[in-house]
Amino acid sequence: MGFGVFIHRTDSIYDDSPAEQYQFPSQYLGRVQACVGDWIIYYEPRKVAATRGYFAVAKVAQVIPDPKAPGMYMALLEPGSYLDFVNAVPFNGPNGVIEHGVLNDAGRISGRAQAAVRPISAADFNRILSIGLAENQPELPRSGEAIDAILPSGLAESTQAPFIFDLDRTRVTQLSSRVVRDRLFRRLILQAYDKRCAVTGLKLINGGGRAEVDAAHIRPVEASGPDILSNGIALSGTAHWMFDRGLIGLSDDLEVLVSRHANDRDSIQGLINRTGKAIVPAGIHERPHPQFLKWHRENTFKH
């Protein structure tokens, strides 16, 4: 087993779904198989406009031949392992390339940097994670909850940011911690939505600097919903409650739908921002994905 880097483009010709599967040709079979049971980092190449650089981490569960495409294979990701980075990590940092393994003996970028799948050292893996998941301005707890109570043992905000890794591979177990993932997912969503409720349009900050908005999963974690930005939406407490109970939903074009089972439709309509549509980030990969919106309409929304 070993860490790896998988190159992914939003406009890829391959049948990729980063939180679920990664399609690749046979020439990379050995490299991908070496990652089974271990973690990989997704990278978007520099030639992509507005590239995200290194943008997410996931765990490879198994590799199978692609039943739909001869000569192609699928890396299936472990459900619930995908996690978007809070901070995009560029290929080049202030001190040169972040991934030292792409350099040759002369210190120049080698052909390895062009490989769609490549192994990555534990040192490079930890370095990228320490940047991608760093929390320089940790979100405060919602209401008087002690900070130590929401952080894993030894990760209190008074001591250090939770994802400053050393070379100890046991630290990657934190990537499976629901407490850690929930906190990072909240930061990711609030950052993308500028701490503004997508339904009401309100951006409320309490006296302690805490945003009064929740990071909601569209397809819940309990229903195999991944911690990917496109499966999240920022909602105020009331809107979140209604969304989780199926009283409101979203169409594929982001129109806010109100259930006919709601007992006070007029008041609910009054809460929706004047556009009648969810206010979402500009980037395509940041917006709610239609597949998650469809799941919510079919499994949660009360028609």
Side-chain angles (χ1 to χ4, degrees):
M1 295 190 298
F3 299 124
V5 171
F6 286 6
I7 288 184
H8 170 77
R9 295 178 53 144
T10 303
D11 59 354
S12 173
I13 62 172
Y14 293 104
D15 185 16
D16 294 347
S17 177
E20 301 171 326
Q21 63 190 37
Y22 182 84
Q23 186 187 48
F24 62 94
S26 58
Q27 70 192 81
Y28 293 116
L29 180 58
R31 294 182 185 180
V32 176
Q33 287 178 327
C35 297
V36 172
D38 223 327
W39 295 85
I40 60 92
I41 289 173
Y42 279 113
Y43 172 72
E44 194 168 60
R46 289 180 290 174
K47 59 186 176 181
V48 173
T51 177
R52 291 173 285 170
Y54 303 94
F55 66 89
V57 64
K59 191 174 186 180
V60 180
Q62 60 177 313
V63 175
I64 62 171
D66 188 333
K68 301 177 183 177
M72 301 294 288
Y73 290 83
M74 304 291 290
L76 304 183
L77 286 306
E78 183 176 295
S81 68
Y82 181 97
L83 183 64
D84 269 320
F85 285 169
V86 176
N87 316 297
V89 183
F91 184 79
N92 281 295
N95 300 314
V97 297
I98 303 295
E99 186 186 345
H100 294 178
V102 300
L103 299 176
N104 58 25
D105 293 339
R108 296 188 177 91
I109 297 173
S110 70
R112 288 192 293 274
Q114 304 301 318
V117 176
R118 57 181 181 262
I120 185 174
S121 70
D124 282 349
F125 180 87
N126 288 329
R127 184 180 307 107
I128 293 170
L129 254 65
S130 71
I131 301 171
L133 299 177
E135 298 178 81
N136 299 322
Q137 297 179 341
E139 287 289 333
L140 298 174
R142 171 165 287 279
S143 59
E145 180 184 5
I147 290 176
D148 288 353
I150 64 171
L151 294 174
S153 176
L155 297 180
E157 292 173 3
S158 60
T159 58
Q160 67 176 58
F163 276 97
I164 303 302
F165 286 105
D166 53 26
L167 296 184
D168 184 355
R169 283 175 57 94
T170 63
R171 298 292 294 277
V172 300
T173 59
Q174 294 178 35
L175 291 172
S176 300
S177 165
R178 193 65 252 166
V179 172
V180 172
R181 294 176 73 91
D182 282 345
R183 189 178 68 253
L184 289 167
F185 186 73
R186 172 176 170 77
R187 175 170 298 282
L188 178 73
I189 297 301
L190 267 61
Q191 181 174 286
Y193 283 77
D194 191 30
K195 302 180 180 180
R196 187 180 304 278
C197 174
V199 169
T200 67
L202 294 174
K203 180 180 179 179
L204 301 175
I205 310 295
N206 69 19
R210 174 78 173 188
E212 290 296 325
V213 69
D214 297 331
H217 285 83
I218 299 170
R219 178 170 181 163
V221 172
E222 296 76 13
S224 301
D227 295 310
I228 188 171
L229 182 52
S230 59
N231 186 40
I233 188 169
L235 296 173
S236 64
T238 300
H240 192 179
W241 184 88
M242 292 190 294
F243 188 78
D244 284 353
R245 284 156 183 77
L247 298 180
I248 60 174
L250 294 175
S251 67
D252 284 350
D253 65 358
L254 302 176
E255 178 186 356
V256 181
L257 309 174
V258 180
S259 169
R260 61 186 179 86
H261 293 277
N263 64 350
D264 193 353
R265 288 177 55 88
D266 290 342
S267 293
I268 294 176
Q269 290 286 357
L271 291 174
I272 300 170
N273 75 83
R274 66 182 63 184
T275 70
K277 292 188 174 184
I279 301 171
V280 300
I284 294 177
H285 75 274
E286 299 175 308
R287 301 174 188 169
H289 196 285
Q291 75 179 65
F292 299 125
L293 296 177
K294 179 181 179 183
W295 186 95
H296 183 270
R297 289 194 304 271
E298 293 180 347
N299 295 274
T300 302
F301 183 67
K302 295 175 175 145
H303 294 274

